[in-house]
Amino acid sequence: MEQRSLVMRLSEEVAALRRALDASQHRIAALEVEAAEEPISGLFNRRAFTREIERAIAFQARYPMTCGVGLIDIDGMDAIRAAQGQAGLNRALRKIGDTLRAGIRSCDVTARTGNEQFAVVLWNSTPADCGHRVQGLQRAIAALEDGFPAGAGIATRSSVVMIEPGATADQVIAAADRLLLEGIACGQAMISGRS
């Protein structure tokens, strides 16, 4: 009888430990999502975006395909903050995040990488396709201007780079940043990549 009691008690302890382990695994999964997501826009954050570029680099090393990275810089967000406060700016950033998410394929990833900067990894895309997709995202953001305060003057600039063999994620991001800055200095969008 005593042995049976011991076995029952051990079974109960094992069951309790399994429930605790399951709860911990669910909590870890939730924390991983929170750690990768930028909470205002609902998009990936810069760290998760960098990991996605690293994943694309590794994938390209094994399979014959090309991937691109696009950056979109949005000017005019200060006017939204001035007219509607921080809550209005947050609504605008959420709307932009929803628009970007709706404008990409399921295999692509988009992120908020700075205060007014958004980015996308475009999987299995040619340079021309990447350029068209980023320009489409810019048009979708421009269409949101109707929901922003009058005179907000939202403008976007972009850059696109292709992920080259042997490149690191930091090199890809730096190249896209450099092109974006050149585009801002020239007052135009810059599209670059392999032909």
Side-chain angles (χ1 to χ4, degrees):
M1 193 68 145
E2 192 175 302
Q3 196 172 22
R4 184 176 217 180
S5 166
L6 180 61
V7 168
M8 292 290 285
R9 197 173 43 193
L10 288 175
S11 284
E12 289 170 4
E13 285 181 32
V14 166
L17 289 171
R18 281 191 179 137
R19 285 191 300 276
L21 178 61
D22 287 345
S24 293
Q25 288 173 334
H26 287 290
R27 180 67 180 140
I28 289 168
L31 289 171
E32 285 174 348
V33 169
E34 287 178 27
E37 186 178 285
E38 190 279 316
I40 297 171
S41 68
L43 302 175
F44 275 170
N45 59 28
R46 189 173 185 98
R47 179 178 35 237
F49 179 69
T50 301
R51 275 196 307 265
E52 187 68 15
I53 294 172
E54 290 167 351
R55 199 167 77 93
I57 290 168
F59 199 85
Q60 276 187 196
R62 283 179 267 148
Y63 303 102
M65 63 176 291
T66 57
C67 298
V69 170
L71 296 183
I72 300 173
D73 190 66
I74 302 174
D75 293 326
M77 302 304 280
D78 289 336
I80 295 172
R81 180 185 289 124
Q84 298 180 344
Q86 188 63 43
L89 178 62
N90 290 350
R91 281 190 301 275
L93 290 168
R94 174 59 77 168
K95 193 181 290 189
I96 290 167
D98 292 343
T99 299
L100 291 174
R101 207 174 10 266
I104 61 172
R105 301 169 299 175
S106 61
C107 61
D108 299 332
V109 173
T110 189
R112 181 174 175 212
T113 56
N115 287 337
E116 298 177 350
Q117 188 179 84
F118 295 83
V120 62
V121 175
L122 300 160
W123 284 81
N124 201 22
S125 298
T126 65
D129 188 38
C130 289
H132 292 299
R133 289 184 186 283
V134 169
Q135 288 172 350
L137 294 172
Q138 286 180 270
R139 283 191 296 276
I141 292 168
L144 293 175
E145 196 165 352
D146 295 338
F148 298 150
I154 300 299
T156 64
R157 293 181 178 89
S158 68
S159 66
V160 175
V161 296
M162 300 308 292
I163 298 174
E164 300 289 339
T168 66
D170 289 339
Q171 290 169 333
V172 171
I173 293 169
D177 276 334
R178 206 169 28 258
L179 284 175
L180 188 62
L181 289 173
E182 289 172 12
I184 290 171
C186 299
Q188 61 186 353
M190 299 292 290
I191 304 295
S192 172
R194 292 189 300 225
S195 303

